[in-house]
Amino acid sequence: MNIVWDFDGIIFPLVPYSSDHILIDYMFQKDFFSFTEKMLMRLAYSFEKKDMASLRFKKCLRTLVCKKPYAVLDYVLEIISAGIPDENVRLLSGLHDAGYKMHIISTGTENIIKNALVSKGADQYFKTVSGNRIVAEIGRIIGYDCLITAESKVDFAERQLGLRSQDTIAVGFGYSDIPILDWARYPVLIDPSKAGWEKFGDRNYIFLESVDMLPRILKSLIVQV
């Protein structure tokens, strides 16, 4: 049995901020942005607050990070790595040892996510880690490849990873996870605020307050691993 995870809000539970927000905020605090870029940053955040507007956010992010030093990612991943709770790493280890094949499919930045997991010693628990990619050359960011959107997660799971819905548990947090939650046989929505419970209460989701409840729920499903 496969488990497809989102990263932000689940493995990295610092909300309402995502790893991409932390990247932008770090560059803002270190004065990497011009006045025009600061206006664009505010516009990007306004897009991100609207459901399913992540692609517009990513286009703004691409503009904001272009030509900036690639080294900023090293500082940001330290922040994110420190924000991954040790108990989440132990949970991932336990699920891996139990035989689950785990993947991350994220609309966040793959470079940051992968390196943060390596820094935390948690990369070994995942067969694949997939997200959008920052492209660099000679120490400078030259592009941002938007490979995964909320709408394309299912296609990526099927075509790129060869996963089948009937063999998959999807674990998500927010609106960018809804398509893959609808697709998976076992959709798990984790929302400490419970706001999503009411918003998506008409869907056949398993609603949890925290990720540490997941192993018990998986046992109750009597899933053949």
Side-chain angles (χ1 to χ4, degrees):
M1 182 64 69
N2 301 289
I3 304 179
V4 172
W5 297 82
D6 197 353
F7 180 75
D8 293 314
I10 307 294
I11 297 168
F12 175 63
L14 184 59
V15 292
Y17 296 104
S18 71
S19 51
D20 284 341
H21 292 151
I22 290 175
L23 172 61
I24 293 175
D25 287 347
Y26 178 83
M27 290 193 294
F28 177 84
Q29 292 166 13
K30 299 299 181 180
D31 291 325
F32 281 104
F33 293 153
S34 66
F35 176 80
T36 301
E37 288 173 328
K38 289 177 182 178
M39 295 300 101
L40 181 61
M41 181 193 78
R42 294 186 176 92
L43 182 62
Y45 281 173
S46 71
F47 286 152
E48 184 73 346
K49 290 178 181 177
K50 298 177 181 178
D51 286 359
M52 308 308 286
S54 61
L55 186 56
R56 287 185 292 177
F57 174 79
K58 297 302 180 186
K59 288 179 179 178
C60 291
L61 177 62
R62 179 188 300 146
T63 301
L64 289 169
V65 301
C66 192
K67 299 183 181 178
K68 303 299 188 294
Y70 188 78
V72 299
L73 270 66
D74 294 332
Y75 297 104
V76 170
L77 76 86
E78 287 181 11
I79 297 170
I80 293 170
S81 175
I84 299 174
D86 291 340
E87 53 267 32
N88 284 8
V89 176
R90 289 192 290 270
L91 180 146
L92 294 169
S93 174
L95 292 173
H96 175 268
D97 291 347
Y100 292 97
K101 300 176 179 64
M102 299 195 290
H103 309 262
I104 291 176
I105 304 178
S106 174
T107 58
T109 302
E110 181 182 304
N111 315 57
I112 296 174
I113 294 170
K114 277 187 174 180
N115 289 333
L117 290 170
V118 169
S119 177
K120 197 69 178 182
D123 60 303
Q124 61 187 307
Y125 306 128
F126 296 96
K127 290 181 69 66
T128 58
V129 176
S130 306
N132 300 306
R133 294 174 192 157
I134 286 177
V135 182
E137 186 176 272
I138 318 178
R140 290 274 169 181
I141 297 171
I142 61 170
Y144 187 92
D145 292 341
C146 193
L147 306 173
I148 299 176
T149 64
E151 298 86 348
S152 70
K153 278 189 176 184
V154 171
D155 186 68
F156 189 91
E158 291 180 331
R159 294 179 182 271
Q160 300 297 320
L161 302 183
L163 305 183
R164 302 185 305 167
S165 61
Q166 60 265 39
D167 301 326
T168 302
I169 302 153
V171 184
F173 169 78
Y175 65 81
S176 67
D177 302 309
I178 299 307
I180 202 160
L181 288 172
D182 287 341
W183 168 81
R185 180 180 181 183
Y186 298 109
V188 180
L189 181 70
I190 297 177
D191 183 2
S193 73
K194 297 188 179 180
W197 299 24
E198 181 176 352
K199 185 174 183 179
F200 303 110
D202 60 337
R203 305 188 187 217
N204 190 32
Y205 294 170
I206 300 164
F207 297 98
L208 301 180
E209 290 183 62
S210 62
V211 71
D212 64 316
M213 301 170 68
L214 184 62
R216 296 193 299 273
I217 291 297
L218 295 185
K219 287 182 180 179
S220 72
L221 293 175
I222 318 177
V223 177
Q224 293 296 319
V225 181

